[in-house]
Every structure is written in structure tokens, then in C-alpha cells.
Amino acid sequence: MEYKPKQIVDLKTNSIVAFIVFLGALIVYALTQSPTLSFWDAGEYVTCSSILGIPHPPGNPTYILLGRFFTTILTSFQHASVINLLSGILSALAVMFTYLATVKLVSLYEKDKFLIIFSGFIAAFYIAFSFTFWNNAIEAEVYSGLAFVLNIIIWLTLIWVEKSEDLSHLNLLLLIIYIFFLGFGIHQTSLQLAPAVLFIVFYPTIINQIKKDTFWYKTAAITGVFLALYFIFNYFGKVFQIPDLSKMIILVSFFILLHYFYKEKVPGKVWVLAIVLILIGLSTHIFLFIRSSQRPFINEGAPSTVNLFTEYILRRQYGVTSFAVRRASFFYQIKEQFLEYFSWQFFNSETISSWLRIPQNLIAFLGSIIVWFLGLFGAIDQYKKNKHSFFYLFSF
């Protein structure tokens, strides 16, 4: 069973369809975007982009600098409209890369060029016009930039899988690392995709080693060590009020582990270059330190000293959390914050009910059934056709 995507759709056709997907989404976003300021964080991001202000921690400096850059180019338009359009552009790019990534995943088990294009097209527009994604695309929100960063990383990862032979094409992995940490300045949750990327990068090694008894012993031992590190440094994070200490330790530990296992396959200069690209990606945060000292009109947290800057970036005001501590019951979170939330992304029961004169609860129930039926049986069908494609998508 093939685990590498194939270039079944020729490059020219694929590029044309991808551009049509991007343009179609962008036109809809531009036509429906908020004309000026909207509620909550959007107004803050517009204002901070306009005056190079300092928003709430952790600052999202890459997004603020992008917003300011666009306002200096489109000087004839209101800044609110420009920043809202920026979100639309980033969201449309995210939709385009959804199409491109889907084409790669489907090429693992489908050989018909038309069906592959159609699958990518449907996936892209299901994302583009889902309730939450569309809302974030038409106002100044960092989630549009986050979606763009995550989707381009997913696509680049699949490109690497297609091209790589025994950890070749390291330039693509270095690009992915840079985008990860540049995206960290848009939204810090960009790094949550890193475990999935690592899983896919080392997937060939996993499928070659998984039948060996030592594989499971090593996996259990490594997992145990990382869990111990997480809980130990999560405790110290609470003591020293460093919310992300456990995550930083896990990240460094992963880096050390990777270097230990792959130091012979990956040249030393690549490891050094990876660290340099991480620092370059994070360098947008210097803006917060410098600009805060100039006392802009919006200067939340005032990160103009080393101590205040550290507290600001580490988000100390939010406190330390742990994945082992739930703020609600498991079943409540699954029902209210996942199943229900997911279902109304594609069926706005209130609107459909007013159109068809059918009770809103019935529309919500039927919408949930349709969405979950398509999702569940789609996943089963994908697994039957190519389990590698299923594991790639499931990891994301």
C-alpha cells in the first residue's frame, strides 16, 4: 500500500484550480467582510495594527506588523477595511492550501484526476464557508493567519513525504521549521501541529520498525519520560509562575531526542541552521519590546523591561494549566464543546428554520446526523482505501 502522495494531477491544472479556489473564497470574503470595526479582539487588532500598538498578551507581533504593512500600502482605504481584508486574504490562502493538501492525500488511493480535483474542491469550500472560519475571515482576527500557517505547513509536509528518500530534501523541513516559529508570532497554538508533522516525517521509520518487539518498549519508555517531564515541569511552572515551562522543556527534549537518533543522517550544519531559523522566526517579538518603550496609545502589559517582557510573552497573567485537569466533565466537553460546535458549522439551524418553516431543533438534529454520517463513513472509507492517508489526516 502506497504511503507517498503522487503527482497525478498535472502541475498546470492543479495550479489553475488552486488559484480559482483562492479567488472564489477571497471574492466572497471581500463582499461579506465587516465594513469597519467589529466586536471583541478585532477592534483591538485593527487599532494596534494602525498605530503599531501592543495588544493583549502574548502580542501576536507578526500579525500586527503584517497589518501595519498593508495599511502603508493601501493608504486610500480606512485601516479597519484594510486589516479586515488582510484576514480575508490569509483565509483564502488557507482555503487554497486546504485544496492542495487534500489533492495530495486523495492521490494516495485515487487515480482519477477529476475525482481528485473534485475532492480537493469540496474539502476547500466546506472549510471556506463553515460558520466559524467564515466569521474569522471577514474581520481582523489572528485565526485567519493561524489557519494559513497551519495549512501551508500541512501541504509542505505532504510535499516532503512525496519527495523525500531517507530524510532527503532537508531544505523543505527547514522551511517548515521557519514557518512554524514565524507563525508563533501570529498565534502561539501554531506549534500544536508540530507533533503531527514529526509523526508524518518519521512515519516511514515507524512502519518499518513497528513489527519489532523493541519498538513498543522504546515507545513506552520515551512516552513515560516525556509525561514525567511534563508533570514535573508543570509543577515548577506553577511555583515560578511560568505557564509554558512544561511545553518549552518538552520542545527542547524533543530536539535533543531527534539529534540523538538522527545525528548521523542529518549534518551538523542543518541542526545549527534550524536553530538560526527558529530565532529568526521568533525575532518579530523584538518589536513588542522596542515599541512598548515608546509608550504607544495602546500598550497592554507594557513589555518595555526584560521582566515585563518575559511575563508578557510567557502569558503569566493567564496562569498555569494542565491537560490532566478538566474544567468540565469529559462528556460535557465532548457534547457541548465538540459535537454540537462541529455540527452547526455547516447547518445554521436558525436561518434554515426561518426559510423552511421547520422547527429549529429538528434542523439541528438532522444537520448533526448528516455531518457525522459523512464524517464517520468518510473516515472508514478512507482507511479501507489507504490506511496511510487516514493516519496522515488523523494526526492533523
Side-chain angles (χ1 to χ4, degrees), residues 16 32 46 54-55 59 78 100 135 161 179 201 209 211 238-239 241 245-246 329 347 363 382 386:
I16 291 172
T32 57
V46 167
I54 309 298
Q78 292 182 354
L100 291 171
N135 275 342
V161 172
I179 294 175
V201 166
Q209 298 290 324
K211 294 181 180 180
K238 292 179 180 179
V239 173
Q241 287 299 298
L245 180 62
S246 57
S329 70
F347 290 90
I363 296 294
Q382 183 186 19
N386 188 290

Side-chain angles (χ1 to χ4, degrees), residues 134-369:
W134 194 348
N135 275 342
N136 289 330
I138 59 177
E139 63 179 7
E141 255 301 351
V142 293
Y143 300 117
S144 57
L146 174 65
F148 165 63
V149 168
L150 296 181
N151 286 6
I152 192 174
I153 287 174
I154 291 171
W155 176 70
L156 285 171
T157 303
L158 295 173
I159 290 290
W160 182 84
V161 172
E162 178 184 339
K163 295 180 179 295
S164 176
E165 293 291 344
D166 197 24
L167 282 180
S168 63
H169 293 77
L170 291 172
N171 56 327
L172 278 174
L173 293 183
L174 288 172
L175 177 60
I176 289 169
I177 289 171
Y178 172 69
I179 294 175
F180 257 127
F181 286 90
L182 187 65
F184 187 80
I186 293 178
H187 200 283
Q188 290 188 354
T189 56
S190 63
L191 291 182
Q192 289 183 349
L193 191 65
V197 172
L198 286 170
F199 169 78
I200 292 174
V201 166
F202 300 112
Y203 188 74
T205 303
I206 293 172
I207 60 178
N208 288 331
Q209 298 290 324
I210 197 168
K211 294 181 180 180
K212 297 180 179 180
D213 293 336
T214 55
F215 173 82
W216 294 108
Y217 291 127
K218 290 179 181 178
T219 301
I222 292 172
T223 302
V225 169
F226 276 108
L227 285 173
L229 286 173
Y230 175 84
F231 286 112
I232 290 170
F233 284 96
N234 196 64
Y235 169 77
F236 284 114
K238 292 179 180 179
V239 173
F240 297 106
Q241 287 299 298
I242 305 177
D244 290 327
L245 180 62
S246 57
K247 298 174 187 176
M248 291 186 285
I249 294 298
I250 293 295
L251 181 64
V252 173
S253 300
F254 256 121
F255 192 85
I256 294 171
L257 185 68
L258 292 177
H259 183 265
Y260 174 78
F261 281 111
Y262 294 96
K263 59 185 176 183
E264 294 181 0
K265 290 186 176 182
V266 180
K269 63 181 180 181
V270 174
W271 298 101
V272 174
L273 188 54
I275 295 174
V276 171
L277 289 174
I278 289 172
L279 294 176
I280 293 174
L282 293 173
S283 65
T284 56
H285 289 76
I286 297 173
F287 150 75
L288 300 169
F289 185 79
I290 296 174
R291 181 56 175 160
S292 177
S293 65
Q294 298 173 346
R295 301 180 67 185
F297 185 74
I298 296 180
N299 191 15
E300 297 189 43
S304 56
T305 66
V306 173
N307 183 53
L308 290 174
F309 178 76
T310 303
E311 290 187 353
Y312 184 88
I313 296 300
L314 295 178
R315 303 165 68 251
R316 280 181 173 156
Q317 74 177 65
Y318 301 119
V320 180
T321 59
S322 170
F323 70 75
V325 178
R326 293 192 173 277
R327 298 186 179 181
S329 70
F330 175 78
F331 292 105
Y332 176 86
Q333 289 179 318
I334 291 296
K335 180 181 181 296
E336 302 295 335
Q337 297 181 329
F338 183 71
L339 297 180
E340 186 173 321
Y341 182 80
F342 181 70
S343 297
W344 56 254
Q345 293 300 308
F346 308 103
F347 290 90
N348 190 308
S349 57
E350 183 178 355
T351 302
I352 297 174
S353 175
S354 64
W355 286 348
L356 302 180
R357 307 289 183 181
I358 296 175
Q360 186 174 332
N361 290 340
L362 179 60
I363 296 294
F365 175 75
L366 292 175
S368 299
I369 294 296

